[in-house]
Structures are given as C-alpha cells and as structure tokens.
Amino acid sequence: RKSPSPRQNTPVRYFIMKSSNLKNIDISQQKGIWSTTPSNEQKLNGAFWESSMVYLIFSAQGSGCFQGFARMGSAIGSEKSQDWGSSGLGGVFRVDWIRKESIPFQFAHHLLNPWNDSKKVQ
C-alpha cells in the first residue's frame, strides 16, 4: 500500500514574480523554466519542499498586468541559464505554465495581501 505524500496536508503557497521585462516571461513560457535572484531562492525552495503546491504569478515591471501563472515544477538547482543574459540570477528551475494571458491589475484590485499591510496584489 502506498503511503500518502508527506506534503499532502500542507498549505499551497503563492508568490508574485516580478520580471524586469516581458522577454524573460516569453522565454519562460516557451521553455518551461525560470530563474530568480539568489535572495529569493531559499524562500522558494523552502516553499517547494514544505508545501503541497507552489504557484507563481508573473508580472513584468511597468506592464500594469499579470502575464499568467505557473506551478513550480522543481526545486531550484545550481545550474545557471544563459537564456536571460543576466549574471544576477541564480539557478534554474522548472515551471509548468497553467495560464499564459495578460490580466490588467485593475481586475485584481479587490485582492489584498494580509502579509503586506493589506496592500493591493499587483
């Protein structure tokens, strides 16, 4: 008999991933990978190992929109990617895109983040 997953009853986590440009999000949607700054890696890896699911909501700076969301498909490794051409990024990890669609922030203004002084989610 198969034992249940140790993460089965743990919460789902959500993170907003801000990209410096739309090109990075396009690359991620095409290749199913992402890379973030080293300062974010520990938090994301912790969530990946301790949560039943980690969803990443993407937005390019200055776009006024969310560009879609994905599920974190692997822990962040040490392998770097040259796809983004930025030496400030850490290791690559897999993302499974669920929705690839621009959604203006105005459609989410009713959502408030209780862990960020109840500010609007954007």
Side-chain angles (χ1 to χ4, degrees):
R1 186 171 175 199
K2 192 174 179 181
S3 63
S5 165
R7 300 185 301 173
Q8 176 177 335
N9 296 318
T10 56
V12 173
R13 299 283 306 271
Y14 301 87
F15 294 90
I16 294 180
M17 308 302 292
K18 287 287 193 178
S19 175
S20 59
N21 58 62
L22 284 168
K23 181 182 174 197
N24 293 349
I25 294 174
D26 289 338
I27 291 168
S28 176
Q29 290 177 344
Q30 292 171 15
K31 296 191 172 194
I33 59 173
W34 189 251
S35 186
T36 188
T37 59
S39 62
N40 290 334
E41 288 184 342
Q42 185 175 359
K43 186 181 290 187
L44 286 173
N45 269 343
F48 180 78
W49 291 115
E50 296 166 7
S51 303
S52 59
M53 197 74 60
V54 177
Y55 291 103
L56 307 174
I57 304 161
F58 291 84
S59 177
Q61 291 177 354
S63 70
C65 297
F66 295 109
Q67 279 73 42
F69 66 98
R71 182 176 45 247
M72 192 172 174
S74 71
I76 301 169
S78 58
E79 177 187 340
K80 308 252 185 204
S81 173
Q82 300 304 310
D83 289 306
W84 290 278
S86 173
S87 60
L89 296 177
V92 173
F93 60 100
R94 196 177 82 246
V95 293
D96 303 313
W97 280 87
I98 298 166
R99 194 78 175 239
K100 303 173 185 178
E101 181 179 340
S102 288
I103 302 166
F105 289 153
Q106 67 191 34
F107 291 111
H109 277 177
H110 65 285
L111 300 174
L112 304 177
N113 184 346
W115 295 282
N116 190 19
D117 298 325
S118 293
K119 291 180 183 173
K120 293 176 185 173
V121 174
Q122 63 182 45

